[in-house]
Amino acid sequence: MLVTGLFLLLRVGPRDSASVSVFQISRLTTDAFLETLIQFVWLGMKTSIQHFQENITGVADKYNVETAEILANSALHLPVAQAAPIYEQLLSVFPTAAKFWKQYVEAYMAVNNDDATKQLFSRCLLICLQVPLWRCYIRFIRKVYEKKGTEGQEETRKAFDFMLSHVGSDISSGPIWLEYITFLKSLPALNAQEESQRMIAIRKAYQRAVVTPTHHVEQLWKDYENFENSVSRQLAKGLLSEYQSKYTSARAVYRERKKYCEEIDWNMLAVPPTGSYKEEQQWIAWKRLLTFEKGNPQRIDTASSNKRIIFTYEQCLMYLYHYPDIWYDYATWNAKSGSIDAAIKVFQRALKALPDSEMLRYAFAELEESRGAIAAAKKLYESLLTDSINTTALAHIQFIRFLRRTEGVEAARKYFLDARKSPNFTYHVYVAYALMAFCQDKDPKLAHNVFEAGLKRFMHEPAYILEYADFLSRLNDDRNIRALFERALSSLPPEESIEVWKRFTQFEQMYGDLDSTLKVEQRRKEALSRTGEEGASALEDSLQDVVSRYSFMDLWPCSSKDLDHLVRQEWLVKNINKKVDKSALSNGPGIVDKGPTGLTSNSTTSATVIYPDTSQMVIYDPRQKPGTGISPSTTATGASSALNALSNPMVATGGGGIMNPFDEMLKATSPALFTFLANLPAVEGPTPNVDIVLSICLQSDIPTGQMGKSPTTYPTPIPTGAARSTSGISGSNKSHPTPSGSSLKQSRDKQSLKRKDIGQDDDETTTVQSQPQPRDFFRIRQMKKARGAASSQTGSASYGSAVSGDLSGSTG
């Protein structure tokens, strides 16, 4: 107790709250020390309560589970008068926390305050269907009525029935059933009639218990068998055979039910969803249990099955109290089951739990309207409009639609005219009411007047202009559409008129002639060139304009490859004067979207985004130290050359730089794998050419036996000097100097040119294949593509220049 209180004081108490110093405490007697320390703890508790109350308005602090647990644990060691404010604060935030209610109730039970205990039970029992809390309730009832004779026994029996009707289907309710049966067996019987009634009550209790899937279902069945056999073996045979199949079904359902219940955290406090992994797993677990119960796996009667489903929903809401989808599912399930009144009660509880949820209010109003309760539905809509400051435009729109459905056109029009001065009466309401008049009331004149009235207030809103243009397009009023665009573009600033220009251009392409289309496109280019979006390049004609003019829906006057090319060109033109990152250039154009005078891509790299240079990526090695030299080693010439080919010139420099971690990895490589790696060409960046890699893999003759009689050692790269290369194919013994970083790009350019040239060469005499041609056509195609690449290779030991990306080891 003292440790907990001191910890709490140090955690949340102010620095100046300690009125007694450590030196003074050390001089006190034992009793005085304890008394002072208790006062010290209580001072910290008061500070904690004040801290909790001050942060009760903040959602993050309000639902702080750790703080709530600390307060609840500390309240256990305080007198009930001092602990009561703490419990009230906790339960105002966590009203379905059964463990807090149980602590609160037990605090009053400990001081024998029966009136306060009864009041607390009346507040918590029906919203917290948890077995430990209900067992505390029955313990209190038995304590109160244990000395009241027959009347007390009857009240206790009613309390047991009340408890079992609410939590008797819980998977953990086995002890309750056993306690109830034990209580029935303990009742006195003064005559044969009372004895018969007592035996009937015990039999009914057993029969209800053995068909309920609980943890103690097997024990209850054994007790039931013993009970029936002790009464009458002849009667027991018929009764047990009747309930044997029901018990077997209950036991099978219990085993399945147990799997779902084990996934649930029964100690979790109800907090608003934050998207954490644990919360999502709990939501999934409850959904699975609800689906399981709705399937009626035990094949019991509908009334019993519905009662079990209701119990599961109520338990679920103890933990997912702030989840509007659970409330909605519960209410709609009741409505579909034919219990409209129960659905209404669920919605009322949901709005009390989540008063700010507009979704639940609309769903509740929809239910009321569907059953003909127009007044109740209207009251719900008006509750969204009471606060003129926080009222949303959507609330206005939905109320107008509701009024038109229920009270007629005039009522909707009257509300629209009266509410126009509301601060949250945005252009959305004008558009919604105009379209309602046009589509539902078939009154295009009224709709046109509403759009015109709104145009005086929302000329600066491009979205409103576009909605108005769509309406005029439905009327086929091309003259007023052009006038609308001209009025809007004359008042809108250029940076806000992009979408309007786009729609104007599309309109002319669809309804205008070629001259008007070209004029609008030119005007658009001139206007947007001043915004800095496209710069001076916007004034130039491009092929994208032609593609935009002569495309329709998903039909294009070119191939998808041409579209990608045009999109890339357009992006390059916009960024022609900017420093473009190589990684940004390598990104694909993505999905092409048709624009008004050009093409756009939803994944085109933005010029404001800075991307890393992936061409400089190297393998991270924590042992790598700057300035560490690379010691040469004596190795085979071919292996040395191949290792130089696999080395990264940006890491292992010719003048003695830092250690290359890739070279360290190659030391532990097997000979067969090393030979295969040596045959791989150098790649630029993280994405190699798949066809080239496949061709090398298909042509590689990986040794399966010994590479030679003498073992081969694998060296580290030689920092300086020339790398010798011997080739058994070309016979070239020329030395290839280790290339520097400046020659890297040139070598890669040569490699790309050679790949293009060798793709057209069909001379089979230069290939290195010694095995017969495969019958797989895919392999034949890949080998043809890389035929030239193989002709320029000089074997696994002639890769002195492969570090620069050159596939030829014989070019000096």
Side-chain angles (χ1 to χ4, degrees), residues 452-684:
E452 281 295 324
L455 193 63
K456 298 177 182 178
R457 291 182 58 181
F458 306 109
M459 179 66 80
H460 62 283
E461 293 286 351
Y464 184 78
I465 302 300
L466 299 179
E467 291 291 341
Y468 192 6
D470 288 341
F471 164 73
L472 294 175
S473 298
R474 297 180 184 180
L475 299 179
N476 202 23
D477 191 355
D478 58 333
R479 180 178 299 179
N480 282 329
I481 293 176
R482 289 189 176 91
L484 173 64
F485 281 129
E486 295 294 347
R487 290 167 60 188
L489 292 172
S490 63
S491 60
L492 285 174
E495 59 273 7
E496 296 182 5
S497 63
I498 297 175
E499 290 298 322
V500 180
W501 275 114
K502 178 180 178 180
R503 187 67 62 85
F504 192 12
T505 306
Q506 291 176 348
F507 167 76
E508 290 295 345
Q509 291 174 358
M510 181 65 69
Y511 298 98
D513 53 20
L514 182 60
D515 291 339
S516 62
T517 301
L518 295 177
K519 289 179 181 179
V520 171
E521 288 183 359
Q522 185 62 29
R523 289 175 56 194
R524 173 186 177 276
K525 292 179 180 180
E526 292 175 356
L528 297 185
S529 65
R530 297 190 295 269
T531 64
E533 291 288 333
E534 299 182 4
S537 62
L539 297 174
E540 301 177 1
D541 293 331
S542 63
L543 191 58
Q544 289 92 327
D545 301 335
V546 178
V547 173
S548 177
R549 283 196 293 270
Y550 293 96
S551 60
F552 181 75
M553 296 179 66
D554 59 343
L555 303 177
W556 302 81
C558 57
S559 64
S560 59
K561 184 177 181 181
D562 293 334
L563 285 177
D564 295 341
H565 180 66
L566 291 175
V567 169
R568 178 174 289 274
Q569 281 186 334
E570 185 178 17
W571 184 85
L572 289 173
V573 168
K574 291 180 181 179
N575 299 273
I576 195 169
N577 295 323
K578 301 177 182 179
K579 184 177 181 180
V580 183
D581 193 358
K582 183 184 297 184
S583 61
L585 289 175
S586 62
N587 290 335
I591 301 174
V592 180
D593 182 22
K594 179 171 61 178
T597 59
L599 303 175
T600 60
S601 172
N602 64 352
S603 63
T604 303
T605 307
S606 174
T608 60
V609 179
I610 301 176
Y611 290 87
D613 186 3
T614 55
S615 64
Q616 306 298 326
M617 292 174 61
V618 294
I619 301 175
Y620 171 72
D621 185 2
R623 300 170 301 176
Q624 178 175 309
K625 296 181 180 180
T628 304
I630 303 177
S631 58
S633 59
T634 305
T635 59
T637 307
S640 175
S641 178
L643 188 60
N644 286 331
L646 294 171
S647 300
N648 190 341
M650 307 305 294
V651 180
T653 57
I658 61 177
M659 182 71 69
N660 189 350
F662 189 54
D663 296 333
E664 297 294 328
M665 295 171 58
L666 289 177
K667 290 182 178 180
T669 306
S670 63
L673 180 59
F674 180 82
T675 304
F676 170 73
L677 293 176
N679 285 329
L680 293 178
V683 295
E684 179 179 358

Side-chain angles (χ1 to χ4, degrees), residues 270-325:
V271 297
T274 60
S276 67
Y277 177 77
K278 179 181 178 181
E279 291 176 356
E280 291 179 352
Q281 292 302 308
Q282 289 301 302
W283 182 87
I284 292 173
W286 278 109
K287 281 287 188 177
R288 289 174 177 170
L289 180 58
L290 286 167
T291 303
F292 173 75
E293 296 293 353
K294 289 178 182 179
N296 192 7
Q298 201 169 342
R299 299 297 181 264
I300 54 180
D301 60 281
T302 304
S304 300
S305 176
N306 289 346
K307 187 176 180 180
R308 193 170 292 178
I309 295 171
I310 291 173
F311 170 75
T312 307
Y313 266 117
E314 292 292 343
Q315 275 199 327
C316 177
L317 289 172
M318 289 176 56
Y319 305 96
L320 305 184
Y321 186 72
H322 299 278
Y323 286 67
D325 60 308

